[in-house]
């Protein structure tokens, strides 16, 4: 059954409306649902009621039946229903939608992962697949993107939505392939498609979609993984492309356009909210030290503080009398007994560090009040446990900026600190030099009778400095004045109704924030008794605080939601405890959005133990503003607590929209009570001018009051922006003349003047213009069955900036017993849950081994340190999942080639109009000289083979004699024109037999001998060249002959099919009857075989004429006179290396010193020693030789100098290459060997290729090679734009040497074959007498290469015959003049055309991406990139421990995104040496690609980016 035509038409219209923005996504879905509703039930046999409302996508089924609340609730009963379960339900419901999506699991190196079936490599999808799905997948071999889901499944309609429209939540392959016509495409393998035979209607709907077949016939685990990956990248999450694309290489990142349908605030402007006035208390002490003096003298026996040990037993109770006397002793000692050179060490107002462990509140309190009495400023900090503590360096900066020179501590603590060799406390990284003073009894002195500490009225001088760590990890000191400290105690006393002598239990850190305010300051003000519960005790016994409330009948407890949560896990052990004494349970982090679930769950359990619902009092505070709001205790007659259920979507646009709990993406928050007494609160916009928010808008809460911090110590700029904000109305009028403090809390004022907080500025992540809160994302992650796989409290969520937008990163600690599959399953579910509930993609989700995340001092994860480690690649995750395809929606649009092609004629006209010349250049003219190779052999110059000591020498006469012997041996056996393979190690034999073949009229083919240790890979290449070149005979040495016919060789090739093999070691001394003379110069002289970097084996034909012309050009360019000595460190088998070894020295008559590059592996200094010993002026090498010298001799230049190695004789050192010059390598080579006299101008590069082995050589005369900087982004569009050195996206390119005499070069358009102008990027074409005459054979692809050797321009000079080099480059006329006085034309090679990657409509050169990747982490030794089915695959060699492997995944993805605007599809981490490199030092990327697809790389880790 097919869909009726009118329905199809209407669907197409809808599609169009949606793409043009005339209809919202929601409206589109609704209308589409209606149109298709009549047809869907008939397909699936599902109850039609399911399809009525489009919103039912398996979500509302998950909401409990009891969720209809009884609307009339008693004012103080809390809602039982809302607990953390609700969020879990929402998450489970959200996940139910995602069952069909299979994600490829990363591969780790494990012997168990050898099975190669898809089933073995994909995590088993729990409870989603029916038998249908399994059988389907087996038929289809590669997992399909939308498996048919069995019969009666609630998400049926959802499945059809996905087939018809592609899910908005699924990720995309849009970065690499732009879908035709903007239609959404589901990727399905052909065979799987065939198996989709449900019935006709399903087929109709499936056909309605444009299916693309990406089935690639490589059958391996890797290819199925990648197929799975492609299946997950179905639909782009991106705004529709603009209609017209301007093809300009200024690649503009997509700026997220605000959604016209996003909610906007509609309320009135809020008015500032004032708390009740501060009450006047008649006998209120004038300052905190005065209060201490009063209680210490009038109530000395009254308990002040009880400290507990780790067993929960009280160790010591400090009375007010003791606190008073001990603080006095300390104050006297600090002021009078510490001196340097008879000067007192401390003056009033000096800052002093307080370093006390968390289980010693008594000593801390004595030290704190001792400092106050001595008028010193205490700076409480954490105890640094190791020199590498998270954040400890930042604390050091704080101490340094505060000018701290003295640290107070206890004896026990001082003994535990890391010590230097001298026995003193070690200086921590970044810390100033400190004097450590132990304040235990024996070190302090009793003051004389007449000494009294000065007790003054509270002033605006600094009382203490509290430290705070910012989102970025820097530590600031917040200064609190005496008057603010006193006012805050006053306000807290009034708000909490504290009375004299009350008992309070404190679980919080007493050094800062609420723990300090309630447990150290306000308690002394009111003579309260504090029971301090150390963190170490809470870890052992989470119930300890509840037991102490029961034991001491405490009236108040100060806790965090974490403490409530922990006590729930342990509450079953205790039956006989009562919390009825509590009148106030202060939840210090009540502003945390998920504290409500802890509060509700806690109440649910402990209501039976006497806990009254109304005593739970959440509060909101920040280090800068101190307490902002707190819910008052019930006796104060305050309005009932409030609860708001807010839409997450609204919140992400900073708008408050009340929702219902049935929805998935809602945030339920509780109020944090009323504003503090004497304070005024307002809510302002987060960014820009602090305008007042509207009543239904979320903003940053600002507070004005006398009881707040005053400044950031020593940071006037930040102080001004945070402590002196003046909020203004929408018309720009200031609302008050008093400055407000930004509290860094995000929230709003709700009904009944209650304050609600929905997040913190520190956790705010702005992704594509929408705001998300880290805590909310953590809560969602935890709702995905967390306990099995990860630790609850150990999840860090933060954002990193990649490609000019924030990207969300989630890091969690994995439980040691969780299996790889389980963790991966959990990770993919977390991604889906966050995507569904927050409508935001997670960029990276990483799991690290247990206990490896940096901890904050009192538990919890140190977020900024975690982020730092993530960015520098030292997090060492054990599992990582990157989802750049989903998250990165602001990539520049793919380039679309313009349809109206510009023809070659108009290009020329355009260039002429622009005043540009056509890019054409040529070397000097060569006078026509007749040459005869053989005649030259008689001149007597030596060829020296030099491995360390001279191994063998041959004059031309000796060569001639040996060549004659070879010719004599061949003449009887072979015919003129037969091809002969020469398989010799580098040496004189090779040269002699080469000429022997020429004497006999045979055609020599030089072949690199197989490597005895690596026959399996090297011998097949030898065999292939012998077969492809149709050689009838193999000449070689006895040793190699044995090797070719050995048992080991038989394992690699068929040894019976070798042609005749002759060894030339002991030939009889016979002279050949007559020497062969070629009848015409165009006769074939030799064949030059080599494997290109793209893995193609090709042999080119060199005629006698071309051979002579080549030698003549090189002789002229390099001035190779007979008196010269040339050192050559190159492989002699093909290209210019062969020409220099075998041809040039014989032609020019100079002395050649031949250094086989293989010898450098055992003796790296061999080549340079030879150059120095023979005082060589001209030398040739390859990049691999240069690299060996740089790496192997970099640190040994001194030793070489002592051995008298001197390179000052070298005028030219040329690197022979068929690639873009490697500037960094040549520069570092020049720098390292400058010490040995190498001139910085000496090193240059050459350029040759298959069609012409020598196009450019620097030579000895002429201007130095020039370097230009081009814009890398322009290159991607095949354009050249010159920029200044150091400008962003600049790429240095060095000229490839001077064009040889007789060579003409032109730059041609690759498509139209027309000539291009100066500084335009195109293919380099060459015309010269020494061009090769054609391919002898190309292994595999003959037809493609017909026009490589004889092609003509389509316009302009259409007569000249050119050869196409296959390399992209450009010509540029420089200001320099060459030898003939003409302006010099420089040729710049950019890269091989075959190697370029076509991605997003642009052309990328692999080397550019690889350079960026290698820079991204110190452990990346080498890198290679290639594409597979439009995915970019990056292979990196890891030089370091395997635990660093997964760190590289995120860094590689980040750097390629940042610098190249590309999304990496697969990251493969391998061992050093896996990336194949040929003898010229070039990467064989295609071999690597084949190895990857055939699963032969044995990778350490493979990550498939979603």
């Amino acid at each position: 059954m097919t869909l009726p035509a009118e329905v199809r038409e209407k669907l197409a219209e809808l599609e169009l409306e949606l793409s043009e923005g005339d209809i919202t996504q929601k409206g589109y879905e609704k209308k589409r649902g209606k149109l298709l509703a009549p047809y869907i039930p008939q397909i699936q046999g599902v109850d039609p009621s399911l399809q009525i409302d489009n919103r039912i996508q398996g979500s509302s089924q998950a909401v409990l039946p009891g969720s209809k609340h009884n609307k009339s609730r008693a004012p103080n009963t809390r809602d039982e229903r809302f607990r953390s379960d609700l969020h879990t339900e929402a998450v489970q419901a959200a996940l139910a939608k995602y069952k069909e999506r299979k994600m490829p699991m990363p591969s780790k190196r494990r012997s168990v992962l050898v099975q190669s079936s898809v089933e073995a490599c994909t995590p088993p999808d729990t409870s989603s697949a029916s038998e249908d799905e399994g059988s389907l997948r087996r038929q289809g071999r590669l997992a399909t993107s939308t498996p048919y889901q069995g019969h009666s499944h609630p998400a049926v309609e959802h499945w059809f939505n996905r087939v018809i429209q592609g899910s908005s939540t699924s990720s995309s392959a849009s970065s690499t392939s732009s879908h035709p016509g903007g239609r959404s495409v589901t990727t399905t393998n052909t065979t799987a498609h065939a198996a989709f035979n449900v019935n006709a209607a399903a087929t109709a709907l499936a056909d309605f979609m444009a299916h693309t077949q990406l089935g690639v016939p490589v059958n391996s685990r890797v290819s199925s993984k990648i197929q799975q990956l492609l299946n997950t990248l179905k639909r782009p999450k991106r705004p529709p492309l603009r209609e017209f694309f301007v093809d300009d290489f200024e690649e503009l990142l997509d700026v997220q356009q605000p959604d016209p349908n996003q909610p906007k605030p509609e309320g009135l402007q809020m008015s500032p909210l004032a708390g009740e006035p501060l009450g006047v208390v008649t006998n209120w002490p004038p300052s905190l030290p005065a209060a201490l003096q009063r209680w210490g003298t009038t109530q000395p026996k009254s308990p002040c503080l009880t400290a507990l040990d780790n067993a929960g037993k009280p160790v010591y109770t400090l009375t007010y009398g003791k606190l008073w006397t001990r603080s006095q002793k300390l104050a006297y000692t600090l002021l009078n007994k510490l001196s340097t050179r008879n000067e007192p060490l401390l003056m009033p107002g000096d800052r002093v560090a307080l370093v006390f462990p968390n289980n010693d509140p008594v000593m801390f309190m004595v030290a704190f009040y001792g400092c106050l009495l001595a008028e010193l400023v205490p700076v409480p900090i954490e105890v640094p446990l190791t020199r590498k503590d998270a954040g400890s360096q930042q604390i050091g900066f704080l101490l340094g900026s505060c000018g701290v020179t003295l640290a107070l501590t206890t004896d026990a603590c001082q003994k535990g600190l890391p010590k230097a060799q001298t026995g003193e406390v070690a200086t921590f990284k970044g810390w100033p030099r400190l004097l450590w003073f132990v304040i235990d009894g024996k070190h302090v002195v009793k003051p004389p009778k007449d000494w009294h500490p000065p007790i003054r009225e509270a002033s605006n001088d600094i009382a203490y400095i509290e430290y705070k760590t910012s989102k970025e990890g820097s530590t600031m000191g917040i200064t609190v004045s005496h008057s603010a400290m006193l006012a805050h105690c006053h306000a807290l006393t009034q708000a909490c109704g504290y009375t004299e002598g009350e008992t309070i239990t404190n679980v919080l850190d007493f050094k800062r924030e609420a723990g300090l305010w309630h447990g150290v300051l306000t308690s002394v003000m009111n003579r309260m008794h504090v029971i301090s519960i150390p963190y170490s005790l809470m870890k052992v016994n989470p119930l300890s605080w509840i037991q102490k409330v029961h034991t001491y009948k405490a009236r108040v407890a100060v806790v965090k939601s974490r403490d409530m949560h922990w006590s729930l896990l342990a509450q079953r052990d205790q039956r006989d405890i009562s919390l009825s004494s509590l009148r106030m349970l202060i939840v210090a982090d009540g502003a945390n959005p998920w504290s409500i679930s802890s509060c509700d769950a806690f109440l649910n359990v402990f209501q039976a133990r006497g806990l009254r619902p109304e005593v739970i009092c959440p509060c909101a505070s920040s280090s800068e503003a101190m307490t902002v709001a707190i819910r008052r205790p019930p006796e104060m007659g305050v309005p009932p607590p409030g609860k708001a259920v807010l839409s997450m979507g609204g919140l992400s646009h900073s708008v408050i929209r009340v929702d219902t709990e049935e929805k998935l993406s809602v945030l339920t928050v509780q109020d944090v009570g009323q504003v503090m007494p004497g304070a005024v609160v307002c809510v302002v916009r987060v960014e820009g001018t602090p305008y007042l928010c509207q009543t239904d808008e979320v903003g940053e809460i600002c507070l004005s009051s006398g009881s707040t911090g005053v400044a950031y110590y020593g940071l006037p700029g930040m102080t001004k922006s945070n402590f002196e904000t003046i909020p203004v109305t929408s018309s720009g009028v200031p609302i008050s003349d008093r400055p407000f403090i930004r509290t860094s809390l995000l929230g709003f004022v709700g009904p009944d003047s209650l304050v609600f907080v929905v997040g913190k500025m520190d956790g705010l992540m702005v992704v594509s213009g929408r705001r998300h809160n880290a805590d909310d994302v953590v809560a969602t992650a935890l709702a995905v069955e967390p306990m099995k796989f990860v630790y609850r409290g150990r999840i860090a969520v933060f954002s990193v900036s990649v490609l000019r937008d924030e990207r969300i990163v989630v890091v969690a600690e994995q439980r040691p017993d969780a299996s790889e599959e389980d963790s991966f399953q959990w990770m993919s579910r977390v991604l889906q849950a966050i995507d569904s509930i927050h409508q935001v993609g997670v960029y990276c989700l990483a799991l690290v081994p247990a206990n490896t995340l940096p901890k904050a001092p009192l538990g919890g994860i140190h977020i900024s340190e975690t982020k730092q480690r993530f960015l520098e690649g030292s997090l060492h995750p054990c599992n990582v999942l990157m989802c750049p395809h989903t998250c990165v929606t602001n990539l520049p649009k793919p380039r679309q080639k313009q349809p109206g092609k510009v023809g070659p004629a108009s290009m020329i006209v355009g260039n002429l109009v622009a005043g540009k010349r056509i890019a054409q250049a040529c070397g000097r003219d060569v006078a026509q000289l007749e040459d005869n190779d053989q005649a030259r052999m008689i001149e007597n110059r030596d060829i020296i083979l030099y491995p360390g000591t001279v191994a063998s020498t041959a004059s031309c006469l000796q060569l001639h004699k040996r060549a004659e012997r070879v010719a004599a041996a061949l003449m009887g056996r072979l015919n003129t024109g037969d091809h002969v393979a020469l398989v010799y190690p580098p040496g004189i034999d090779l040269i002699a037999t080469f000429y022997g073949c020429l004497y006999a009229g045979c055609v020599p083919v030089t072949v690199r001998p197989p490597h005895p240790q690596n026959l399996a890979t090297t011998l097949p290449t030898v065999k292939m060249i012998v077969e492809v070149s149709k050689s009838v005979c193999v000449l070689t040495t006895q040793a190699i002959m044995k090797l070719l016919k050995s048992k080991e060789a038989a394992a690699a090739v068929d040894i019976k099919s070798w042609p005749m093999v002759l060894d030339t070691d002991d030939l009889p001394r016979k002279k050949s009857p007559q020497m062969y003379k070629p009848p015409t110069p165009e006769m074939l002289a030799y064949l030059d075989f080599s494997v290109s970097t793209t893995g193609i084996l090709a042999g080119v034909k060199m005629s006698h004429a071309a051979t002579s012309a080549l030698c003549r050009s090189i002789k002229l360019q390099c001035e190779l006179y007979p008196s010269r000595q040339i050192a050559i460190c190159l492989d002699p088998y093909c290209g210019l290396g062969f020409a220099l070894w075998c041809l040039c020295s014989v032609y020019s008559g100079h002395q050649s010193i031949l250094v086989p590059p293989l010898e450098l592996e055992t003796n790296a200094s061999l080549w340079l020693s030879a150059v120095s010993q023979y005082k060589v002026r001209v030398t040739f090498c390859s990049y691999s030789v240069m690299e060996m010298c740089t790496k192997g001799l970099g640190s040994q230049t001194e030793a070489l100098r002592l051995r008298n190695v001197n390179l000052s004789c070298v005028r030219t050192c040329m690197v022979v290459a068929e690639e873009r010059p490697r500037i960094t390598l040549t520069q570092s080579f020049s720098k390292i060997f400058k010490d040995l006299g190498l001139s910085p101008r000496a090193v240059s590069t050459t350029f040759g290729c298959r069609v012409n082995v020598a196009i450019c050589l620097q030579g000895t005369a002429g201007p130095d090679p020039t370097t230009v900087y081009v814009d890398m982004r322009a290159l991607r569009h095949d354009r050249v734009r010159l920029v200044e050195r150091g400008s962003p996206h600049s790429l240095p390119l060095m000229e490839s040497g001077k064009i040889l005499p007789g060579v003409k070069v032109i730059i041609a358009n690759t498509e139209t074959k027309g000539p291009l102008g100066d500084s335009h990027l195109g293919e380099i074409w060459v015309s010269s007498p020494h061009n090769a005459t054609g391919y002898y054979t190309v292994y595999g692809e003959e037809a493609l290469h017909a026009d490589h050797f004889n092609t003509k321009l389509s316009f302009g000079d259409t007569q000249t015959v050119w050869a196409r080099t296959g390399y992209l480059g450009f010509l540029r006329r420089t200001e320099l003049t060459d030898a003939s006085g003409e302006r010099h034309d420089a040729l710049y090679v950019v890269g091989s055309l075959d190697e370029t990657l076509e991605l997003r409509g642009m052309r990328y050169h692999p080397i550019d991406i690889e350079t960026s990747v290698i820079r991204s982490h110190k452990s990346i030794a080498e890198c290679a990139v290639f594409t597979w089915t439009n995915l970019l695959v990056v292979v990196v060699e890891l030089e370091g421990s395997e635990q660093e492997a997964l760190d590289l995944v995120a860094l590689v993805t980040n750097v390629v995104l940042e610098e190249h605007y590309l999304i990496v599809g697969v990251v493969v981490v391998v061992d050093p040496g896996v990336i194949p490199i040929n003898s010229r030092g070039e990467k064989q990327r295609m071999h690597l690609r084949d190895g990857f697809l055939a699963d032969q790389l044995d990778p350490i880790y493979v990550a498939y980016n979603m």
Side-chain angles (χ1 to χ4, degrees), residues 312-376:
K313 296 200 171 65
V315 198
Y316 181 79
T317 296
L318 180 70
T319 60
Y320 278 93
K322 273 283 185 222
L323 176 60
W324 170 239
T325 53
R326 289 175 68 177
S327 306
Q328 268 183 296
K329 276 187 191 174
L330 178 60
Y332 176 75
T333 309
L334 289 176
L335 289 176
N336 300 291
K337 295 297 172 192
L338 295 178
S339 61
T340 50
R341 301 195 192 88
N342 299 328
E343 287 284 311
L345 181 71
L346 297 168
M347 303 299 284
D350 282 355
R351 273 76 54 206
V352 175
L354 269 50
V355 186
F356 291 88
N358 253 316
N359 51 7
D360 201 345
V362 172
M363 293 303 250
F364 174 80
M365 215 158 172
V366 169
F368 191 89
Y369 281 101
C371 287
L372 291 187
L373 290 177
E375 297 188 316
L376 298 167

Side-chain angles (χ1 to χ4, degrees), residues 784-840:
V784 186
E785 345 154 78
M787 297 316 215
K788 300 182 198 161
F789 311 116
V790 298
Y791 291 102
R792 186 180 173 89
R794 303 192 201 156
I795 294 188
V797 172
F798 51 86
S799 62
V800 294
S801 178
V802 180
L803 204 65
R804 299 181 219 168
D805 198 0
E806 296 293 301
R807 315 284 176 198
I808 296 179
V809 179
V810 180
V811 184
E813 282 192 5
Q814 179 179 337
R815 290 181 173 274
D817 49 352
S819 75
E820 202 87 345
E821 279 82 10
D822 290 344
S823 311
F824 184 74
Q825 181 93 22
W826 181 80
M827 290 162 87
S828 39
R829 290 171 73 78
V830 167
L831 294 178
Q832 294 162 356
I834 293 173
D835 188 75
S836 213
I837 285 178
H838 302 272
Q839 269 86 53
V840 66

Side-chain angles (χ1 to χ4, degrees), residues 1253-1264:
V1253 296
I1255 298 169
C1256 301
L1257 279 175
Q1258 183 56 32
T1260 44
D1264 283 346

Side-chain angles (χ1 to χ4, degrees), residues 722-739:
N722 267 39
F723 287 86
E724 297 164 27
T725 299
I726 306 284
V728 293
T729 61
S730 52
S731 54
V733 183
I735 61 166
S736 149
D737 49 356
R738 287 169 55 185

Side-chain angles (χ1 to χ4, degrees), residues 1257-1277:
L1257 279 175
Q1258 183 56 32
T1260 44
D1264 283 346
T1266 53
T1267 298
V1268 293
Y1269 291 83
V1270 298
D1271 187 326
M1272 210 186 313
R1273 292 166 307 178
L1275 275 185
R1276 295 173 201 155
H1277 294 263

